[in-house]
Amino acid sequence: MRIAVCPGSFDPVTKGHLDIITRAAKLFDRVIVLVSINRAKQTSFDVKERLELLQAATEGIENVVVDANDGLLADYVAQSGACAIVKGLRAISDFDYEFQMALMNKKMVEQAETVFLTTNAEHLYLSSSLVKQIAYFGGDISDFVPACILEPVKKRLYRKGE
Ligand code: PNS
């Protein structure tokens, strides 16, 4: 069985993430969507909330499971028997950091091959942090987050501190 890990902060999951997860699920037998800790980011949702939102957003995709990891991604890949890390790439600005992480993960664990999927053009400008800013001020985020999690995300973010 070919297993891929799709890691991220998912704070919260967006339609851009869901597009990458859905496409990865067509390429691999099983996709583990992994809520991981990015030490450079302060999050608005705790890990349990992010897992619940991801669970709801990916409910209809049979070969997708969600999990969380408070450790190195490379170690998780080794332990789970995955053959790939799947990441979405938006603009060139993503590339430098993603390239560094891909090489570092491979250096730590040989089997950790990173596969980049090009973002759908519709999601080029989309990021969780912009979604959070728009929702904070009561703007319309319905184009950006999956419909099934729209209400809880709006409620949670409106005028709430980061
Ligand atoms: O959605 P993000 O914030 O861009 O995802 C980054 C993430 C969480 C995938 C990355 O920070 C990560 O892999 N964190 C786990 C800890 C780790 O392995 N760090 C070293 C990466 S070389």
Side-chain angles (χ1 to χ4, degrees), residues 7-9 36-38 41 71-73 87 101 104-105:
S9 301
S36 307
I37 310 299
N38 181 345
K41 282 185 186 168
L72 282 175
L73 173 61
K87 303 282 316 248
M101 284 196 291
M104 195 58 97
N105 283 324

Side-chain angles (χ1 to χ4, degrees), residues 9 16 21 61 69 84 86-87 92 107 113-114 143 148 159 161:
S9 301
I21 295 165
I61 322 172
N69 182 47
V86 174
K87 303 282 316 248
I92 275 286
K107 166 86 181 146
E113 292 289 357
T114 298
D143 278 349
C148 61
R159 295 281 174 190

Side-chain angles (χ1 to χ4, degrees), residues 27-68:
L27 297 172
F28 294 89
D29 298 315
R30 186 171 207 220
V31 174
I32 305 171
V33 182
L34 191 69
V35 174
S36 307
I37 310 299
N38 181 345
R39 290 187 50 85
K41 282 185 186 168
Q42 253 204 314
T43 56
S44 298
F45 294 86
D46 65 28
V47 171
K48 186 169 167 281
E49 290 174 307
R50 285 181 271 158
L51 276 172
E52 283 168 3
L53 294 171
L54 269 171
Q55 182 65 55
T58 59
E59 196 117 280
I61 322 172
E62 218 175 67
N63 57 336
V64 170
V65 292
V66 302
D67 196 7

Side-chain angles (χ1 to χ4, degrees), residues 6 10 12-26 31 33 53-61 64 66 86 88 117 119-120 123 126 128 143-149:
C6 193
F10 302 112
V13 57
T14 65
K15 283 189 178 178
H17 294 130
L18 192 56
D19 173 55
I20 298 293
I21 295 165
T22 306
R23 285 158 59 200
K26 291 181 185 152
V31 174
V33 182
L53 294 171
L54 269 171
Q55 182 65 55
T58 59
E59 196 117 280
I61 322 172
V64 170
V66 302
V86 174
L117 295 184
T119 191
N120 186 315
H123 304 130
L126 182 50
S128 295
D143 278 349
F144 313 134
V145 301
C148 61
I149 62 164

